[in-house]
Amino acid sequence: EGEEISKVVVGKILSIEQHPNADKLVVCMVDVGADSPLQICTGATNLNVNDYVPVALDGSTLPGGKKIRKGKLRG
């Protein structure tokens, strides 16, 4: 199982801030072991700093063939 999943890693949440242009979104800085942290916007409400979370990287594939691409969300 999981053969269709690719480019999903574990990340550690370094910071969480309210999105400046959306009441229901937060902006997280996430360490995924790269040269610099990734900025990820999410509507999840169950996150805390220092949590370890699954991160679908740019170009990843999820179950059902869903593709994840980097993009802008409300600026």
Side-chain angles (χ1 to χ4, degrees):
E1 290 202 32
E3 294 87 15
E4 61 187 348
I5 298 172
S6 68
K7 295 183 74 174
V8 176
V9 299
V10 174
K12 182 179 181 182
I13 298 176
L14 302 176
S15 66
I16 303 171
E17 297 181 11
Q18 183 63 45
H19 191 293
N21 299 321
D23 292 340
K24 294 186 178 183
L25 296 175
V26 293
V27 179
C28 301
M29 296 305 292
V30 183
D31 179 359
V32 294
D35 291 337
S36 59
L38 296 179
Q39 183 183 69
I40 300 175
C41 294
T42 181
T45 58
N46 60 340
L47 302 173
N48 295 293
V49 171
N50 295 319
D51 281 355
Y52 287 91
V53 295
V55 178
L57 300 174
D58 183 35
S60 64
T61 304
L62 300 180
K66 182 171 180 70
K67 303 279 186 190
I68 302 296
R69 297 280 179 227
K70 181 178 178 179
K72 289 188 177 188
L73 190 60
R74 297 237 176 165

